[in-house]
């Protein structure tokens, strides 16, 4: 799966890593639903850090279509709320 973190580039994620990313995504959604800015920030950074850690960065000139778009680390809670689909940022 190809993921784009806005402002950073594309990262290839293996299917085996999706479950742990979904857990982090669920925690992020809970923080958004609660309107908890501090937990939102912690959860967003944890999700993005995990994507960077388990994924493999693609070259900047890569033209692979992104299957998922993730917000940048400095996104606001409202911006991320708008990006959430029925299944969160990362569909399971």
């Amino acid at each position: 799966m190809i993921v784009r973190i806005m402002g950073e580039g594309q990262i290839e994620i293996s299917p085996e890593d999706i479950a742990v990313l979904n857990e982090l995504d669920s925690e992020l959604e809970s923080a958004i639903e609660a309107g908890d800015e501090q937990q939102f920030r912690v959860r967003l950074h944890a999700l993005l850090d995990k994507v960077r850690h388990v994924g493999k960065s693609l070259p900047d000139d890569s033209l692979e279509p992104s299957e998922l778009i993730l917000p940048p680390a400095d996104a606001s809670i409202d911006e991320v709320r708008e990006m959430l689909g029925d299944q969160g940022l990362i569909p399971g």
Side-chain angles (χ1 to χ4, degrees):
M1 172 180 290
I2 305 298
V3 177
R4 173 174 296 281
I5 298 177
M6 295 170 65
E8 291 187 32
Q10 291 182 306
I11 300 171
E12 186 171 9
I13 303 294
S14 73
E16 296 81 37
D17 292 314
I18 297 301
V20 71
L21 295 177
N22 272 321
E23 284 181 37
L24 293 169
D25 185 32
S26 293
E27 293 171 3
L28 176 63
E29 282 185 79
S30 294
I32 291 170
E33 288 170 11
D36 187 332
E37 180 74 34
Q38 182 178 352
Q39 278 304 304
F40 161 74
R41 193 68 42 212
V42 168
R43 301 300 179 201
L44 176 59
H45 284 258
L47 175 63
L48 297 177
D49 288 345
K50 186 58 122 178
V51 167
R52 292 180 195 112
H53 178 74
V54 301
K56 180 184 122 197
S57 293
L58 297 179
D60 289 339
D61 61 354
S62 175
L63 298 175
E64 296 292 323
S66 298
E67 297 169 76
L68 294 174
I69 308 289
L70 297 179
D74 63 351
S76 73
I77 196 168
D78 290 331
E79 290 170 326
V80 177
R81 185 179 287 123
E82 289 178 20
M83 293 180 73
L84 289 175
D86 291 340
Q87 299 181 36
L89 292 173
I90 301 176

